[in-house]
Amino acid sequence: MSGVVLRSRTLLRGRPFLCSFRSLSTLETATTPNPPPLPAANHVPAISSEPFAIAQPVTKPAGAAPMFIPPAEDPLLSLCANVIMKHGERHKAMRLITETLTYLHAITLSPPLPIFREAIQLASPMVKIVTIRKPSKNVLAPRPLNDRQRTKAAFRWIVAASEKKPGKMLVHRLAKEIIAVVKGDSDVLQKKEEVHRQAVANRANIPRR
């Protein structure tokens, strides 16, 4: 009876179709393979000791600290980029800040962002001097600054002081001025002390509420 093929209507996945018993037995054999044997209760899988799972350290030159790249949307870097931005070209301002940090790292062989933060903190003034008009004359009076205003004033002073540094590129002059602020050799610190001295001298002119 090998030449006789019996046909039967079978339901597979909700769809009836015609198939032979010979093809049906082949289909069942292909779709339902023998399941693998279950492991014993006390079986412990072998742990591979291949070295691909271990992170290999990156070789660096002797004396060089690891380079920590700051985040792209750091609030301090974003604010400083807004200060030096011209004609709305923010991508150029961000590139200048990034190149300044890179050159700062090349000079100091240290993470540049902590040095940049320290320079901004050292150069930030607490107050600013404003002119108040009175009936008889104009007088100077101190006015306190918030954190954002202090940071912008400090970075403006650093950029202005960097113009006196030797060098053709703003990136190099700016990095040298930041190092000078951290070392205490910058004119920015003297300007900050002068502003605070004027604020103390004119504290009596603060308007009363």
Side-chain angles (χ1 to χ4, degrees):
M1 299 277 310
S2 59
V4 179
V5 178
L6 300 180
R7 292 178 173 267
S8 172
R9 184 173 296 274
T10 311
L11 184 65
L12 181 63
R13 294 183 181 179
R15 297 180 180 179
F17 71 101
L18 295 176
C19 67
S20 63
F21 285 105
R22 188 178 303 171
S23 60
L24 181 61
S25 61
T26 307
L27 178 62
E28 292 178 353
T29 306
T31 56
T32 58
N34 295 329
L38 297 176
N42 56 355
H43 174 71
V44 179
I47 300 176
S48 176
S49 58
E50 295 295 331
F52 66 85
I54 303 175
Q56 300 295 332
V58 180
T59 58
K60 296 181 179 296
M67 179 62 177
F68 297 98
I69 301 177
E73 295 298 331
D74 187 271
L76 177 60
L77 303 182
S78 178
L79 181 60
C80 293
N82 292 339
V83 172
I84 63 175
M85 179 176 58
K86 295 182 180 180
H87 309 294
E89 296 176 344
R90 181 177 173 81
H91 63 284
K92 290 186 178 180
M94 289 299 298
R95 185 173 59 187
L96 284 175
I97 297 297
T98 304
E99 292 177 356
T100 301
L101 294 178
T102 305
Y103 189 72
L104 193 62
H105 172 73
I107 297 176
T108 61
L109 297 179
S110 301
L113 191 56
I115 300 176
F116 188 80
R117 292 184 186 277
E118 184 179 359
I120 294 295
Q121 184 177 3
L122 292 175
S124 299
M126 300 294 297
V127 295
K128 70 176 181 178
I129 304 300
V130 297
T131 302
I132 298 179
R133 179 176 297 179
K134 288 191 174 183
S136 59
K137 59 180 179 179
N138 296 336
V139 297
L140 302 178
R143 180 173 295 177
L145 302 176
N146 55 29
D147 293 339
R148 186 180 181 87
Q149 294 172 338
R150 293 178 59 197
T151 301
K152 293 176 69 174
F155 192 66
R156 285 196 186 101
W157 289 353
I158 292 176
V159 173
S162 67
E163 299 296 334
K164 303 177 183 178
K165 295 288 183 181
K168 296 182 179 180
M169 298 183 64
L170 174 62
V171 173
H172 297 171
R173 299 195 305 266
L174 197 57
K176 294 177 181 178
E177 186 64 31
I178 290 173
I179 295 175
V181 171
V182 174
K183 290 183 177 180
D185 301 333
S186 176
D187 296 337
V188 175
L189 302 179
Q190 298 178 3
K191 186 173 183 178
K192 174 184 175 182
E193 293 178 0
E194 181 64 23
V195 170
H196 287 178
R197 191 180 301 110
Q198 291 183 4
V200 173
N202 297 281
R203 63 184 183 276
N205 298 328
I206 299 176
R208 309 293 180 180
R209 291 185 179 181

